[in-house]
């Protein structure tokens, strides 16, 4: 879609709409962080029924299974009923999931609750980046796209903070209200303007760009996009097999693979255990809150610089420093496993390395893969292709979180972190060789770049305004 014209548009409404849309990401962040403060209390019998360590690992990972289950179906639903209505409907499973968790009578109810909550969280991970990518001007698309990860980290910090003072019942009750607040706010936001023949597209554009904004050039480009899609109309399978789609899918899947295999979810889900194992003497809840604060601050920094420094630089710096951090954690835990006395004065090392890891993940490999998922795909296949990328992310999240403890037992703590470090370095190589820079490029220009024709001029309609066009169309 076009996001710039010769007439200056307002950006504040776009920020408001993007932040509102990522309220669901905040709710998803509470799901990711919930396991850390809840683990010891549930295993300790706080809910009145037994929860073993093995059972809790399934409670934690059931969310990722729910997210993986929904990602592909949600891609079709997005195209059928639109982005806005899809996100509003997700409030229902969010509310049901928290209700089941709050009033759980046995472990099986907790499994079901976390699975249903994962459905909502996973669906938001596909829908919200797509929505923000479509409503934003190209010069702020990176910033708005990074709001998604920022709100995820804010949700994690929120659950860490309230978890330090509330029991699991009260903590879950507070989290259950968040999706309702999101729905009450987002209902007033516009649908993303994707259909030129729909009068709501004009209203959406004017809401997002200002009443005085000349929407005609943007509307004409929407029409041109739809005409191209109509002329090149193919089945979903054929569209997925286009070379440009396969290339975009390979890049997106690669970024999702390295995002999860760097070990981030193992760190988030088991952060309390990592601090406990490190024997720092610092209160475990306080330690995780500090990490959460740093994560939010670092993600905010990424939001500020992603449209200035570019995607590739943030990804490369993130991967290299994360690898060094996990090497340092591996050294500490390897020494600890072999001679506990040798690390008596090194308690600061794993905590410092963990903090640096979280910061660098939040600057690069946290927000950028989700941002680029909303940039790389043509509009006619974006829902399905984005869903495939989202599904792969959550399947990998499940594998990492479910097997982290097993890997520690089989390989040793140090060796497990070194494995993450090696994979992360491969991620840096992948970014350097295959990931294109999309900073400052329109969605149409990104498609041309993936086709190998970076010098091509994007579709220009109504050049009387000397507009710089931003069109997320297909070939």
């Amino acid at each position: 879609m076009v996001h710039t014209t010769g007439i200056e548009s307002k950006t504040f409404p776009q920020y408001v709409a993007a932040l509102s849309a990522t309220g669901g990401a905040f709710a998803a962040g509470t799901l990711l962080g919930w396991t850390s403060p809840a683990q010891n209390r549930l295993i300790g019998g706080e809910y009145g029924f037994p929860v073993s360590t093995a059972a809790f690992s399934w409670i934690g990972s059931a969310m990722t299974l729910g997210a993986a289950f929904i990602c592909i179906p949600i891609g079709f639903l997005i195209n059928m009923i639109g982005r806005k209505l899809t996100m509003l409907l997700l409030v229902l499973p969010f509310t049901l999931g928290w209700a089941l968790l709050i009033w759980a009578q046995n472990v099986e109810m907790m499994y079901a609750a976390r699975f249903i909550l994962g459905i909502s969280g996973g669906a938001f991970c596909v829908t919200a980046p797509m929505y923000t990518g479509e409503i934003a001007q190209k010069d702020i698309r990176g910033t708005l796209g990074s709001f998604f990860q920022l709100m995820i980290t804010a949700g994690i910090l929120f659950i860490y903070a309230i978890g330090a003072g509330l029991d699991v019942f009260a903590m879950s009750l507070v989290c259950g209200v968040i999706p309702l607040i999101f729905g009450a706010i987002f209902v007033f936001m516009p649908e993303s303007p994707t259909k030129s023949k729909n009068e709501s597209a004009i209203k959406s554009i004017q809401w997002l760009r200002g009443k005085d904004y000349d929407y005609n050039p943007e509307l004409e480009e929407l029409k041109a996009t739809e005409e191209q899609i109509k002329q090149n109309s193919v089945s979903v399978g054929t569209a997925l097999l286009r070379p440009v789609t396969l290339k975009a899918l390979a890049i997106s899947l690669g970024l999702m693979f390295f995002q999860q295999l760097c070990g981030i979810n193992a760190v988030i889900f088991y952060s309390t255990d990592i601090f406990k194992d490190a024997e720092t003497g610092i209160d475990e809840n306080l330690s995780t809150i500090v990490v959460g604060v740093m994560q939010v601050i670092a993600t905010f920094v990424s939001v500020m610089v992603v449209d200035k420094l570019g995607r590739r630089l943030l990804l490369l710096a993130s991967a290299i420093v994360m690898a060094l951090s996990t090497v340092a954690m591996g050294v500490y835990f390897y020494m600890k496993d072999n001679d506990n006395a040798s690390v008596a004065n090194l308690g600061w090392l794993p905590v410092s390395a963990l903090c640096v890891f979280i910061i660098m993940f939040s600057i690069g490999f946290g927000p950028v893969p989700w941002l680029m998922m909303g940039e790389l795909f043509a509009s006619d296949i974006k829902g399905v292709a984005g869903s495939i990328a989202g599904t792969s992310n959550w399947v990998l999240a499940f594998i990492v979180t479910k097997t982290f403890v097993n890997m520690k037992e089989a390989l040793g703590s140090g060796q497990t972190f070194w494995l993450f470090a090696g994979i992360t370095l491969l991620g840096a190589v992948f970014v350097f060789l295959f990931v294109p820079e999309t900073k400052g490029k329109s969605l149409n220009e990104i498609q041309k770049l993936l086709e190998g024709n970076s010098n091509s001029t994007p579709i220009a309609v109504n050049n009387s305004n000397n507009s710089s066009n931003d069109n997320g169309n297909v070939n």
Side-chain angles (χ1 to χ4, degrees), residues 277-330:
D277 290 346
E279 297 178 356
T280 61
I282 303 173
D283 178 76
E284 296 165 9
N285 288 324
L286 178 61
S287 299
T288 53
I289 290 173
V290 170
V291 169
V293 170
M294 289 188 297
Q295 194 173 12
V296 171
I297 293 173
T299 307
F300 182 76
V301 170
S302 177
V303 169
M304 294 296 100
V305 302
V306 69
D307 279 321
K308 297 180 177 66
L309 299 181
R311 286 57 158 162
R312 277 171 54 86
L313 180 59
L314 293 182
L315 287 169
L316 287 169
S318 174
I320 292 169
V321 178
M322 282 195 302
L324 294 174
S325 299
T326 43
V327 166
M329 280 188 276

Side-chain angles (χ1 to χ4, degrees), residues 94-151:
F94 248 135
T95 304
L96 174 61
W98 280 118
L100 286 173
L101 192 60
I102 291 165
W103 289 287
Q105 301 298 309
N106 49 55
V107 172
E108 288 73 22
M109 281 186 70
M110 287 194 162
Y111 293 159
R114 290 282 293 176
F115 183 85
I116 294 170
L117 287 169
I119 286 175
S120 293
F124 266 108
C125 289
V126 173
T127 315
M130 194 177 301
Y131 177 87
T132 54
E134 290 172 347
I135 66 171
Q137 298 175 198
K138 69 178 182 181
D139 55 332
I140 60 170
R141 194 177 63 238
T143 298
L144 267 58
S146 298
F147 283 173
F148 175 80
Q149 184 68 21
L150 177 63
M151 296 296 275

Side-chain angles (χ1 to χ4, degrees), residues 234-253 376-386 388 446-447 450-451 473-475:
V234 293
S235 66
V236 171
T238 303
L240 281 173
L241 292 175
R242 287 193 302 241
V244 67
T245 304
L246 290 174
K247 188 173 182 179
L249 198 57
I251 293 168
S252 188
L253 289 175
L376 291 172
F377 300 111
S379 60
D380 66 331
I381 200 64
K382 185 178 291 187
V384 176
I388 293 172
I446 292 170
Q447 289 299 297
L450 292 173
E451 291 172 2
N473 67 335
V474 296
N475 303 337

